[in-house]
């Protein structure tokens, strides 16, 4: 078989051994996707029915790429594999089995905005303070409960959870969760977390359904297993229980989604669940130079909690990793922009060979300004998705109502758009009537005379007849014809067409683009059902990571490191490598959090193929205050022989007035070199040191942090790392009080007291 010939021995062993539990530990750039696709192709070549194979991924793009690769080996049979994201696969199963858990098969899938809108409605109805019960916080709390398979009743009955909510002055979180779940159920809607949570309920309460899918999915493969949460872990374990032909693929060193509920223990403890496990380690990195791989290895070696592996590269040695120090974040942006221009000019790279990666989205500002000033084209990833734009969501809300008129959030979104005399007061009356009679908003709208007093019955009747007409047309027309009919008869096209402003024209063009996408869907030959309902299912399951690859535009990529996972670029700049920024200040309270930050840095480094540059600033504006910064501890964790420092000095340039000359040193030379936090003609002489970081403060032996509520202006305090200081000011309310503390030798630092771990001295 030719496809096996190009595999190295470790890859080939992982592909050929298809029976029983297996774990493929795939280091960065080690050909993981090739191994997964060839392993599936090998199963089919051995006579396994593709209908009995389930492959779970974390992005639609990953599953699409894999399917295309498998088709090149086994042909059209690849279309019969059950392959997709966790959410798309189990949404498909839930639509078949929905009646068993009381849902309609045409249930709506709420996105994050829909969920938060519903939560805000519930907060208003319960007359709760939306600052204390912030919709984002409540949403994340509910999401966390579902991902840990905690039902509303279990949440309310848990003494530990209730005690925690009461201590945080949010005792009604359980009531909100319970109300939210009931409202979603009444609206025939599931949110993203429900697609997994309800699948768990389905498999737990209906053993016949569990047995059906255990027999169907005799072979399971899970990509990026280190990113699975408890809910995903439980589903996979149940489905694999009958045959145990489960293969998980991942890299514990790239587990960076704990904030989404990902549990690194799932991969670290996989052998505990499957004692007969076979482990295959893919350790050869085909992507990066030897120096980049060695730098990544020296960083991740500092993590104690990891699977042992020895990643190596046979590629060229490559350049040392450049470390550049700037005096401000704006200067950091200019350094990076000029370096891109210089590298393109000298090496002939395209703009899309470069990526600028940062820890937080806020850091993009300085980079954008610098790139714009030098006319360097760029694109920011992670901005507003096309499907999140208002006008697109408005039309999609009409689509949703066409197939599920009980959809409460869709009703609220378009009942008065375009305007038809059904404003907020009417909506409130509908909600009150629906709650009073325990029926849906749609049932009230369809029989307004029975439930609402006043003169709005005619408008409500017209609205209900409009939606019913859309449903009738959808049964006769394909996706595009239905969508166009709804866009025209809802009044949205007319509304936007009459808006002559630049914004109005842009919104009209976005609607046209949506219709174009539906037209393309309706003309596809690889799908049988070309209805708008199927199109809606597809777009509802798009993930944030399903970015459109825009190969036609030659632009520098700007993105957070989380967004960059799975991508690769010839030249990578990792910016903002400063303490309290990267690693994040909130990660410094525990080894677990700090190790996740280190894994995030590892991911950033391993995006680079040819050249890697690390930058930091000695001062940066944070929360409106210019703050002195110290280099990230991560820089010092890198073996100095792989690094080269480039100290920048302001000078004139043909590219602009504020440019930089540079003086190259090895990192060992930097550790003995004069240093300064601001440009100076006469360098400040400093004693020699073995580290670029200041000597760490040794806390007093009886150090114990005080409660956030105990601090006052003027108090002298001690910090475990920064030493002794004085509180200059306090801002905000508990529990989110922010303190500005002056530390000797470090200047002012702003700290959130609930994370800072300060001790009152006097």
């Amino acid at each position: 078989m030719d496809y096996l010939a190009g595999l190295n021995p470790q890859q080939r062993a992982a592909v050929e051994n298809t029976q029983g539990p297996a774990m493929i530990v795939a280091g960065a750039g080690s050909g993981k996707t090739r191994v997964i696709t060839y392993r599936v192709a090998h199963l089919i070549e051995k006579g396994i029915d593709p209908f009995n194979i389930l492959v779970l991924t974390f992005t639609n793009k990953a599953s699409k790429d894999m399917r295309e690769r498998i088709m090149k080996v086994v042909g059209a049979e690849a279309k019969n594999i059950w392959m997709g994201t966790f959410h798309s696969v189990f949404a498909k199963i839930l639509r078949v089995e929905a009646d068993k858990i009381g849902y309609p098969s045409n249930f709506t899938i709420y996105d994050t905005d829909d969920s938060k809108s519903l939560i805000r409605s519930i907060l208003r109805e319960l007359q709760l303070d939306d600052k204390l019960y912030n919709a984002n916080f409540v949403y994340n709390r509910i999401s966390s409960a579902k991902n840990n398979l905690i039902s509303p009743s279990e949440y309310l009955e848990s003494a530990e959870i209730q005690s925690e909510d009461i201590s945080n002055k949010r005792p009604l979180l359980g009531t909100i969760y319970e109300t939210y779940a009931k409202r979603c159920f009444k609206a025939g809607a599931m949110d993203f977390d429900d697609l997994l949570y309800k699948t768990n309920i389905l498999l737990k309460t209906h053993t016949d359904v569990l047995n059906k899918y255990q027999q169907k999915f005799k072979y399971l493969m899970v990509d990026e297993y280190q990113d699975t949460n408890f809910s995903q872990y439980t589903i996979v374990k149940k489905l694999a229980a009958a045959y145990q032909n489960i293969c998980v693929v991942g890299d514990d060193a790239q587990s960076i989604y704990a904030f989404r509920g990902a549990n690194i223990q799932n991969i670290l403890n996989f052998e505990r669940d499957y004692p007969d496990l076979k482990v295959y380690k893919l350790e050869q990195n085909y992507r990066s130079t030897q120096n980049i791989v060695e730098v990544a290895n020296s960083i991740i070696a500092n993590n104690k909690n990891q699977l042992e592996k020895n990643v190596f590269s046979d590629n060229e040695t490559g350049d040392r990793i450049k470390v550049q120090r700037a005096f401000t974040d704006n200067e950091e942006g200019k350094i990076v922009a000029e370096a891109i221009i210089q590298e393109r000019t000298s090496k002939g790279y395209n703009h899309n060979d470069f990526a600028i990666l940062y820890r937080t989205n806020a850091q993009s500002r300085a980079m954008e300004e610098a790139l714009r000033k030098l006319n360097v084209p760029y694109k920011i990833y992670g901005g507003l998705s096309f499907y999140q734009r208002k006008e697109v969501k408005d039309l999609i809300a009409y689509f949703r109502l066409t197939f599920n008129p009980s959809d409460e959030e869709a009703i609220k979104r378009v009942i008065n758009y375009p305007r038809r005399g059904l404003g907020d007061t009417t909506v409130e009356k509908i909600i009150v009537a629906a709650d009073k009679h325990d029926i849906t908003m749609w049932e009230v709208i369809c029989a307004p005379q029975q439930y609402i007093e006043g003169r709005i019955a005619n408008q409500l009747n017209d609205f209900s007849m409009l939606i019913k007409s859309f449903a009738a047309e959808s049964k006769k027309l394909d996706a595009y014809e239905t969508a166009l009919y709804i866009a025209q008869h809802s009044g949205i096209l007319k509304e936007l067409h009459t808006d002559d402003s630049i914004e109005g024209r842009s919104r009209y063009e976005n609607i046209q683009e949506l219709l174009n996408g539906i037209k393309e869907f309706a003309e596809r030959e690889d799908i049988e059902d070309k209805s708008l309902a199927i199109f809606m299912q597809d777009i509802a399951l798009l993930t944030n990571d399903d970015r459109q690859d825009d190969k036609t535009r030659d632009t520098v990529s700007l993105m957070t490191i989380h967004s960059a996972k799975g991508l690769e670029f010839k030249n990578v700049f990792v910016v903002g490598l400063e303490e309290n920024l990267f690693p994040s200040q909130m990660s410094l309270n525990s080894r677990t959090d700090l190790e996740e930050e280190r894994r995030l840095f590892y991911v950033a480094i391993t995006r680079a193929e040819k050249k890697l540059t690390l930058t930091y600033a000695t001062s940066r504006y944070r929360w409106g205050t210019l703050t002195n910064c110290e280099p990230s501890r991560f820089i010092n964790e890198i073996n100095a022989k792989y690094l080269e420092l480039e100290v920048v000095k302001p000078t004139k340039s043909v590219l602009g007035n504020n440019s930089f000359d540079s003086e190259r040193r090895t990192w060992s030379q930097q550790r003995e070199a004069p240093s300064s936090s601001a440009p100076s003609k006469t360098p400040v002489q400093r004693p020699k040191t073995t580290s670029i970081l200041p000597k760490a403060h040794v806390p007093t032996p009886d150090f114990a942090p005080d409660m956030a509520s105990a601090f006052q202006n003027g108090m002298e305090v001690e910090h475990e790392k920064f030493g002794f200081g004085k509180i200059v000011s306090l801002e905000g309310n508990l529990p989110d009080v922010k303190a500005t503390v002056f530390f000797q030798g470090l200047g002012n630092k702003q700290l959130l007291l609930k994370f800072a771990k300060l001790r009152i001295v006097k």
Side-chain angles (χ1 to χ4, degrees), residues 35-74:
V35 170
I36 296 173
T37 54
Y38 284 3
R39 196 173 197 272
V40 175
H42 193 61
L43 281 168
I44 296 171
E45 288 285 312
K46 287 175 64 177
I48 303 301
D49 189 337
F51 284 101
N52 294 143
I53 301 171
L54 171 62
V55 182
L56 296 169
T57 67
F58 274 82
T59 67
N60 293 299
K61 180 180 180 297
S63 60
K64 182 184 175 187
D65 289 348
M66 287 181 195
R67 193 184 298 275
E68 288 175 353
R69 290 199 195 191
I70 296 167
M71 285 182 69
K72 290 179 181 177
V73 180
V74 301

Side-chain angles (χ1 to χ4, degrees), residues 665-677:
R665 303 175 184 150
T666 65
W667 196 247
S668 301
Q669 290 171 325
Q670 157 61 11
R671 288 175 171 170
E672 300 178 354
S675 174
S676 173
S677 61

Side-chain angles (χ1 to χ4, degrees), residues 54-193:
L54 171 62
V55 182
L56 296 169
T57 67
F58 274 82
T59 67
N60 293 299
K61 180 180 180 297
S63 60
K64 182 184 175 187
D65 289 348
M66 287 181 195
R67 193 184 298 275
E68 288 175 353
R69 290 199 195 191
I70 296 167
M71 285 182 69
K72 290 179 181 177
V73 180
V74 301
E77 280 291 292
K79 294 180 180 179
N80 299 326
I81 302 164
W82 277 65
M83 179 182 287
T85 64
F86 276 87
H87 294 91
S88 66
V89 167
F90 296 119
K92 187 176 178 181
I93 289 173
L94 284 171
R95 292 205 183 275
V96 175
E97 313 290 350
D99 62 304
K100 293 182 175 60
I101 54 173
Y103 272 84
S105 61
N106 62 342
F107 61 82
T108 297
I109 300 173
Y110 278 176
D111 64 15
T112 304
D113 286 348
D114 296 321
S115 296
K116 290 179 182 177
S117 173
L118 176 54
I119 288 168
R120 282 189 285 268
S121 296
I122 294 169
L123 295 177
R124 285 194 298 271
E125 292 161 23
L126 295 176
Q127 298 182 328
L128 295 174
D129 182 352
D130 61 2
K131 290 185 178 144
L132 185 60
Y133 289 93
N134 176 275
N136 287 334
F137 177 87
V138 175
Y139 171 80
N140 289 329
R141 187 71 168 173
I142 293 172
S143 175
S144 178
K146 289 181 181 178
N147 286 332
N148 285 289
L149 304 184
I150 300 170
S151 69
S153 60
E154 289 169 333
Y155 190 104
L156 286 165
E157 290 166 5
S158 168
E160 183 181 351
I161 294 175
Q162 292 308 303
S163 174
E164 184 181 344
D165 286 350
I166 290 169
S167 68
N168 288 326
K169 299 182 179 179
R170 297 183 179 96
L172 293 177
L173 280 171
T175 302
I176 298 168
Y177 178 19
E178 183 178 50
T179 306
Y180 173 83
K182 287 178 179 176
R183 291 280 279 275
C184 285
F185 184 74
K186 186 190 286 188
M190 295 188 198
D191 63 22
F192 251 48
D193 296 313

Side-chain angles (χ1 to χ4, degrees), residues 714-761:
M715 280 184 169
E716 293 184 15
V717 295
E718 180 186 10
H719 186 275
E720 281 185 300
K721 183 159 148 286
F722 302 140
F724 295 97
K726 186 173 183 178
I727 296 178
V728 178
S729 66
L730 295 170
E731 302 174 44
N733 301 314
L734 288 169
D736 299 315
V737 177
K738 185 168 62 181
T740 301
V741 184
F742 177 80
F743 292 100
Q744 190 66 39
L746 297 175
N748 286 342
K749 287 191 175 290
Q750 291 195 321
L751 308 171
L752 278 172
L753 289 181
K754 63 183 178 183
F755 299 121
K757 292 192 177 180
L758 292 174
R759 180 181 76 88
I760 298 172
V761 178

